[in-house]
Amino acid sequence: MSLRRTKIVATIGPASSSPEVLEQLILAGMDVARLNFSHGNADEHRARAVLIREIAARLNCHVALLGDLQGPKIRIARFIDKKIELQAGDPFCFSITHPRDAGNQQVVCIDYPDLVTDCRVGDELLLDDGRIVMQVERVSADALHCLVLVGGPLSDHKGINRRGGGLTAPALTEKDKQDIRLAAELDLDYLAVSFPRDAADMHLARRLCQEAQCNSWLVAKIERAEAVMNDEALDGLISASDAVMVARGDLAVEIGDAELVGIQKKIIAAARKQNKAVITATQMMESMIHSPMPTRAEVSDVANAALDYTDAVMLSAETAAGEYPVQAVAAMARVCLGAEKNPIMRRSGHRIGQQFERWDESIALAAMYTANHFPGVKAIIALTESGYTPLVMSRIRSPMPIYAFTSSPQTQARVALFRGVYTIPFDPSAIANSTVSQAAVEELVKRGIVETGDWVILTKGDSYHTVGGTNTMKLLHVGHILS
C-alpha cells in the first residue's frame, strides 16, 4: 500500500466530537485535528483535545493538535428576525450606535467602530465571504451609508471585508490572549494566528506565547491583502512564522477570486523555500457538507494543491458541522494519493544554485539528493530532537518516505503535519552508541517497511538531545552488520 504524503487537517466541531466519529476520522486519514477558537467554549476544546489524544494513543497513531485563534474578524451584530434578504439597489447602513440586537432591513450595528473611520466613499464592502457586495455612498460620524451591489440573505454575526484590505484591526484581541493561555494549558502542537498583516503581528503573537509558556509552533494565516501585496511583505510574514496557512476565504474576498490560484501557488513555493510547512485551506470539499461525494471541481482543487506540494490540505465545516465528516476525510485522502502518482512529484530543483544556511540543513538536503539518485534506497531515517531535519528533508520533491525517529512526544505529534514524514517513537540514548544504527534499521524491518538488500539513509547528530545538532549522514545496507 502506498503511503499518502499530503497530510490532512480536519476541523473538530459538533459533527465530529463523539469518540466514535473521532476514531473513524483518524482511521480515515486525519493527521492534524483543528480546534477552531471562533466557535465553542474552552471546556469543549479541552474535552476534544483529551479525547483525540486518548484515541490516537490507543490506535498507535500520532495526531497533531492545531488551535486556531479567532483574530479580529470584523462582524455585524444581530437582526431582530435573525436574517434579512437584500436586493441590488437597496440602501443599507452600518451603524456603531444602533442597538446590537435590533438590526433590520435598513441598518445593523457593527462590532468594530473603527470601520467607519477606515472607510471612504466609493469603497466596496464584502459580507459573508463575498456573497454580498455593497458600495459606500456616504460616511457620517457614526455610520457607513451604502448601496447594495450584489444582494442575498444576510444573517447574524457575518464577517465584513473591504476590497483591497487595509482595515486597521489589530491581529490579536483580548479573546485571542485568553485562547493563547488555553493553548498553553492544552499543550497544543500548533497555534494559527488569524489576519496577521506583517512580521510584527507574528512577533507579538510569539511574545504573548512566551509569556503564557505556550510552546506551540505558530502558523501565520495569510488572509489579508497587505500580506501578499509584495514579495517583501510575504517573505517577512513567512520568516516570522513556523508554518503558514493559505486561508483562501478572506484572502479571496480582499484580493479578488481571479487572483487567488496564482497567489496560492506563490505562497506555497515561498513557504517551502524558507523551510516552513504550509497548509492549504477553505472550501476544499464544501459540497460534502451536504453530499457524500465531492464535485469534480473540488477533486481538482485538492489534487492541484497536492501537486503544488502543499504539506497539508484542510477541511473546515465539512468535518466540523457537515453530514459526512468521515467520508470527506476519506475522499480527500483518496484524491491526494491519486495526485501523488504524477511523475512531477519526483522532480525537484529546490535550493539548487543557492547556499545552505546551516549544517543540519546541508545534511538534510544531501540525504534527499542521495535518496532521489541512488537506486535501492527505500527509506530515510532522521534521528531528530525538534523535527527540523525531517522538515527540511520534506521540502524536496521525492517519493521517499521520511521517518522521524524521536523520543519527544511533542515532536512525534508535530511532524504529523510535514509532507511525507511519519513518526516512529525511538530513544537512541537508551541504546549503546555502537548499535543505534542497527536498532533503527531493525525498527523499519520489524514494521515491514524495508527488507534485506534494501538501502536506508540515516541522519543523526553526535548528541541525541541537542536541537540543530544533525551533522552525519550514513548509507546503510539492510542485512549487513551496521554500526
Side-chain angles (χ1 to χ4, degrees), residues 449-470:
I449 295 163
V450 297
E451 56 189 31
T452 300
D454 290 339
W455 288 89
V456 172
I457 293 171
L458 181 142
T459 64
K460 67 186 193 69
D462 294 333
S463 162
Y464 295 118
H465 294 298
T466 303
V467 172
T470 297

Side-chain angles (χ1 to χ4, degrees), residues 86-94 106 122-125 127 132-138 144-151:
L86 292 167
Q87 307 292 331
D90 285 353
F92 195 78
C93 180
F94 298 102
Q106 286 79 40
D123 282 354
E124 282 190 11
L125 298 177
L127 288 97
I132 290 176
V133 183
M134 302 190 189
Q135 187 164 48
V136 179
E137 299 252 285
R138 186 167 62 85
L144 296 175
H145 304 268
C146 304
L147 183 74
V148 177
L149 302 181
V150 178

